[in-house]
Each structure stands twice: as structure tokens, then as C-alpha cells.
Amino acid sequence: MSSAAEQVHHDEHHDHHAPSGIKRWLYTTNHKDIGTLYLWFAFIMFLTGGAMAMVIRAELFEPGLQIVEPNFFNQMTTVHGLIMVFGAVMPAFTGLANWMVPMMIGAPDMALPRMNNWSFWILPFAFLILLSSLFLEGGGPNFGWTFYAPLSTTYSNDSTALFVFSVHIMGASSIMGAINVIVTIFNMRAPGMTFMKMPLFVWTWLITAFLLIAVMPVLAGAVTMVLTDKFFGTSFFNAAGGGDPVMFQHIFWFFGHPEVYIMILPAFGIISQIVPTFARKPLFGYASMVYATASIALLSFIVWAHHMFTTGMPLFAEMFFMIATMLISVPTGVKVFNWVATMWRGSLTFEVPMMFALAFIVLFTIGGFSGLMLAITPVDFQYHDTYFVVAHFHYVLVTGAIFSIMAAAYYWLPKWTGKMYDVTLAKWHFWCSLISVNLLFFPMHFVGLAGMPRRIPDYSLQFADFNKWISIGGFAFGLSQLIFLALLIKACKKQGEPVSARVWEGAEGLEWEVPSPAPYHTFETPPVVK
């Protein structure tokens, strides 16, 4: 802009493009609006899935059947998993991508704005369909979020059809979102923004988008075969008709393992933005971070059967998947090393985003180590289907993915609203979450090693004390998220101190060049990256 007057004229010209009220949100093609919709949707789903986890922990507070029927307990574990994976973690990362990727690469918007609107607005319907199945006669899906055949075919109830339909809609949304990210990053970077100058969050999302396009159709195939096996007399997974139930697991996990990296790569990107800002030095080993992300993505396709060590695979296959899985920990270790090296001798300060990022590094690494243990085939025979596995994946998904989303919210929220949020509430949220989440998930390692199986509404008496503490940690963690809710509502009311364009001293990147709050339209004239 050549003058302030031109800037004012520009703002006036664009404000009437945003209709007020509900229509603004229904019809919007603006990447910031759609990012906000995704983030609020993800947060509502997070609280919904969390409420289901509270039911699980209330039932497991004491031995014996206390509160819910075993069948309903199984519906809770199933729908809790589905909602947290497809409703909370993935839409939250998509919302962050919508908000931040165009601003980080100097693009005016996403490349395909109408498809962007569509990919969001089909999601509430997907979850409405899924949640409505819980109220049908016979109840909702009760076969675990991994919906293994024959539990999801021969022995499932009629609501399976609704579950399949909702997963199809989620998959379509993910594929559209991924296409949008790829086209935007390939075609809309500012002049001078070469691939090796892109922020790490953009890189991790680009690679994640390719993973999504590769594996969502595999999930679609798996749920379609479940649908036809149950309702149309096919025998894909039925041995009596020439099918194979173990084949289901191969197909599901060929989607499922890249999927778990879809849920962690954007987190790596977020942490790679936050750590350099508060260490006040550039990210150590930028190129190696890019190559490590790509290596994880490629290797994620050849490790799927480590979920299936106890299905009686040939010894060669067990050896192959064991070694491939151990190999994937190498690029992950490179990342952890680089984050630590970035902080080494930096001018560290411990603002709330940095506190979450540090918690992420330590606790995600714990989850990584338990994953490395699970990779060792002979000992996995002991760990498989115990609470040790539950502990492992909740360390990488809660203190990993969820903590990174919280870190991102605290990092970018002032840029979105133009005001600093309530830092006291944020610190309460951090410390309550940090203490309770470890009380919740760390003891699960011990009950798992002692032989407590997953997905059961009751347990032997020797596990009672640990489960009581786990449940207390669970209730505390759930309540801690209400602090976050209060902070977000307060932030939306635009209360607080105004912030500068840069917000954080030491923040680098194009998103910190635009005013705070970020204007409705940014970079209509592309910046030039030196």
C-alpha cells in the first residue's frame, strides 16, 4: 500500500463482502473464517469425546460393573476414539492450516475457496450422523474405533450403516482439504518463497496432505467392504464365504498407520515454529527437519503390521515390520535432537506457547520410547491389547498432538484477535493439564505391564488402586479443559491488552508482518521474500 488513505479505502471496500450473522459463516470462502469454523468445531468435538472418556473413567473408577452396561461402555470407547481422531485432532490441524498456511507463504487465500467451504460444512453432518446412531435401538457402533471384522460385520448392530456413511463423509472432507493445501502451497507462494524457505509448519502440512490423499481412499474401501459384508451378503472378511478377517486388519492398518503420522506431522511443524521464537535463534538443522518429515511419511507405509504381531504372521514378516518400525524412530529422533539443539544456548523465555512446546518435547518422547518398546515383536506379545498400548498412544496423541494444538492456539491467538489472552488463566490451564494428564496416562503403563486388558468395563481386584488414580487424573484433565474454554470465550470477546504485529519478540515469518488482528484480507499484493 502506498499510503494510509489507500489502506483505509481498501478496508472499506472489503468489509461489505463479509455478510453478518449466520450467513457469513455458511457462505464464507475466506480462509480465516473457515479456519475459525474448523477450530471451534474441533474444540466442541474435543469436549464431546472428552465427555465420553469421562463415562469410561467413571465406570473404571472401581472394580465391578457400576454405572453403564458393557455394551454401552463399548459404544463409548468406540465413539470416543472416532470423535477424537476424526473430529478433534484432524479438524483442529486443518483449521490451523487454513488460518496460517496462506499467511505464512504470502498467499491471499486458499487456492480453492469454495471447495474449502464445502469441505468444512459437510463435517457437522458426518458427526451428527455418527452421534445420532447412539440413540437408535441397539445403540451405536460398539466394535472399537478400529472396527475389526467380524465385530463390525457379523456381530454388529444396524447402526453400522450410519457409522460407514459418516466415515465416508469425513474422508471426503479430508481429501478436499488436502487437495486444497497442496494446490495452495504449489501455486500460491509469494515471489522468492522457494520450497526450502517455507516455514516448517507449511512443509509438514504439505507432506501430511499427500499422506491424506494416499490413505483416505483405503479407509473408504475398508468401510465399504464392511458395509457390503454386513448388508449385501459379500464375504470379504468372512472365512465361510472364502474371505479372511485378518485381511481386514491389513487393509485397515495400511490406512491406520499413515493416519497416526497425519495426526503428528503438523504437530512437529507447530513445535518447529514455536521453539525458535522463544529460543530467539533459527531452527537448528532446517533441511534435516524437512528430510526427516519426508522420511517419516515414506516409512509410514511399510510399518502397518506392527499392529498385528499376534495374528500369526510368518516370522519373516514379523522381522520386517519390527525392523521397519524401529527405523522410523530415527527421523523422529532427529527432530527431537534438532528442537533441543535449537534451545541450546538460546535466550529462552517461558511464555505459555513455549511451556506447551517443552511439555510436548518431553512427553511426546516418552510416547516415542514406549512405541519403540512395542515395536519389538517378542515383547509385544506381552504388551499387545493391554493398557500399555493405551498409555503409549495417548502420550503421543494427547501430550503430543493435543498439546501441540494448544501450543499453536496460545501462539497464534493474539495474531487472530489482536489482543493478548488472559495469561494467568493460560498458565492455570497448562499446569492443571500437565499434572493431571500424567496422573491419567502414566500409571496405565504399569497396569498394562501387569496384564490389564484394554476395552473392558471391569477388571481384576489387583488393578483397583491404580485405576482409581487414573480416573481421578482423567476427571482433573477433563475439568482443566474448561479453563481453556473460559479463556477462549474471553479472547473472542476481544478483552485484553492490544498486541503489536510481531506479538512475540523473536517471532520470524510473513504472518508476523501483517497487523494484529490479522485483517480479513491479507497479501492481496504478494510480498517479496528476500
Side-chain angles (χ1 to χ4, degrees):
M1 289 296 149
S2 57
S3 68
E6 206 170 323
Q7 177 70 56
V8 170
H9 166 73
H10 223 83
D11 289 348
E12 280 172 3
H13 176 67
H14 277 293
D15 275 355
H16 61 76
H17 276 297
S20 54
I22 190 80
K23 284 190 171 170
R24 165 182 171 178
W25 300 104
L26 278 174
Y27 301 152
T28 184
T29 55
N30 180 284
H31 72 100
K32 300 182 181 77
D33 281 354
I34 293 169
T36 304
L37 284 168
Y38 266 111
L39 287 165
W40 270 112
F41 176 77
F43 191 59
I44 292 163
M45 285 294 115
F46 176 57
L47 296 178
T48 308
M52 293 175 182
M54 298 298 94
V55 174
I56 295 168
R57 287 319 320 171
E59 178 56 60
L60 294 174
F61 186 71
E62 291 182 322
L65 293 174
Q66 313 288 339
I67 300 166
V68 295
E69 294 290 318
N71 183 36
F72 186 74
F73 181 90
N74 291 346
Q75 291 172 49
M76 287 295 97
T77 53
T78 303
V79 182
H80 162 75
L82 288 167
I83 282 188
M84 289 310 206
V85 168
F86 295 112
V89 174
M90 291 169 72
F93 282 138
T94 311
L96 292 168
N98 265 300
W99 246 105
M100 300 317 301
V101 167
M103 286 184 4
M104 290 175 142
I105 63 174
D109 204 308
M110 295 293 276
L112 306 161
R114 286 186 176 147
M115 190 169 82
N116 206 12
N117 173 294
W118 175 235
S119 71
F120 172 76
W121 276 111
I122 61 175
L123 273 183
F125 295 98
F127 285 92
L128 208 63
I129 291 166
L130 179 64
L131 287 166
S132 70
S133 69
L134 291 169
F135 300 100
L136 291 185
E137 199 180 339
N142 60 359
F143 31 67
W145 87 273
T146 54
F147 58 101
Y148 279 12
L151 295 177
S152 58
T153 53
T154 312
Y155 301 108
S156 68
N157 50 42
D158 289 345
S159 66
T160 307
L162 293 177
F163 153 77
V164 169
F165 188 34
S166 70
V167 169
H168 271 305
I169 301 171
M170 297 166 207
S173 167
S174 289
I175 289 170
M176 286 193 282
I179 289 170
N180 219 338
V181 168
I182 291 171
V183 177
T184 304
I185 295 171
F186 274 18
N187 292 330
M188 297 181 71
R189 301 191 309 284
M193 171 78 66
T194 58
F195 275 106
M196 291 313 270
K197 281 186 188 164
M198 295 195 312
L200 247 264
F201 180 68
V202 178
W203 257 118
T204 52
W205 240 110
L206 179 63
I207 290 167
T208 301
F210 277 107
L211 282 178
L212 277 165
I213 288 174
V215 302
M216 286 323 250
V218 180
L219 174 66
V223 292
T224 305
M225 287 185 272
V226 163
L227 186 79
T228 59
D229 266 20
K230 176 153 183 65
F231 294 103
F232 301 108
T234 56
S235 297
F236 292 110
F237 309 128
N238 180 5
D244 181 3
V246 177
M247 183 177 74
F248 172 87
Q249 297 183 32
H250 281 290
I251 297 167
F252 176 83
W253 286 114
F254 190 77
F255 146 80
H257 204 81
E259 162 65 23
V260 301
Y261 288 102
I262 287 163
M263 292 191 284
I264 204 66
L265 291 181
F268 293 163
I270 290 162
I271 303 305
S272 304
Q273 302 298 133
I274 292 174
V275 169
T277 296
F278 298 105
R280 289 163 181 75
K281 47 189 283 225
L283 184 71
F284 180 88
Y286 172 89
S288 69
M289 286 298 234
V290 173
Y291 298 134
T293 309
S295 308
I296 289 170
L298 289 169
L299 287 168
S300 77
F301 285 101
I302 58 160
V303 296
W304 78 88
H306 65 212
H307 298 270
M308 303 167 56
F309 282 143
T310 56
T311 54
M313 282 192 293
L315 185 63
F316 175 80
E318 296 197 318
M319 295 288 289
F320 173 86
F321 285 108
M322 175 173 85
I323 290 161
T325 304
M326 292 168 75
L327 202 60
I328 211 165
S329 67
V330 177
T332 316
V334 167
K335 286 178 171 295
V336 175
F337 175 84
N338 284 0
W339 292 322
V340 175
T342 304
M343 293 186 282
W344 178 249
R345 303 191 63 181
S347 306
L348 288 166
T349 51
F350 301 99
E351 283 85 350
V352 180
M354 187 62 161
M355 290 158 76
F356 272 100
L358 286 169
F360 172 96
I361 293 169
V362 174
L363 299 173
F364 173 78
T365 303
I366 291 175
F369 279 135
S370 63
L372 201 48
M373 292 169 68
L374 288 160
I376 315 295
T377 308
V379 292
D380 181 73
F381 276 56
Q382 184 69 38
Y383 306 148
H384 182 79
D385 255 336
T386 69
Y387 260 82
F388 190 84
V389 179
V390 180
H392 156 69
F393 70 74
H394 283 89
Y395 264 88
V396 290
L397 280 171
V398 181
T399 62
I402 299 280
F403 268 33
S404 81
I405 292 161
M406 289 169 179
Y410 287 125
Y411 186 53
W412 284 311
L413 200 56
K415 170 58 66 187
W416 301 339
T417 64
K419 300 278 166 57
M420 185 48 79
Y421 45 81
D422 186 330
V423 176
T424 312
L425 271 185
K427 288 186 172 167
W428 270 100
H429 176 223
F430 172 75
W431 287 110
C432 292
S433 294
L434 181 76
I435 293 163
S436 60
V437 84
N438 283 292
L439 179 60
L440 167 56
F441 294 124
F442 207 80
M444 287 185 183
H445 293 101
F446 304 136
V447 289
L449 290 176
M452 181 173 161
R454 301 169 61 176
R455 293 174 168 157
I456 45 153
D458 192 8
Y459 49 82
S460 303
L461 291 177
Q462 70 265 35
F463 304 128
D465 291 350
F466 269 126
N467 271 286
K468 186 160 277 192
W469 283 109
I470 291 167
S471 285
I472 290 167
F475 301 141
F477 184 71
L479 289 170
S480 305
Q481 305 326 306
L482 299 179
I483 305 172
F484 192 29
L485 178 64
L487 180 142
L488 290 172
I489 291 168
K490 210 170 157 183
C492 287
K493 291 180 180 164
K494 306 275 177 95
Q495 299 168 350
E497 292 294 305
V499 291
S500 66
R502 195 157 296 276
V503 182
W504 311 108
E505 175 207 344
E508 296 288 336
L510 291 176
E511 77 264 39
W512 307 110
E513 307 295 326
V514 302
S516 300
Y520 199 62
H521 294 276
T522 40
F523 296 129
E524 289 176 301
T525 313
V528 176
V529 180
K530 296 286 188 286

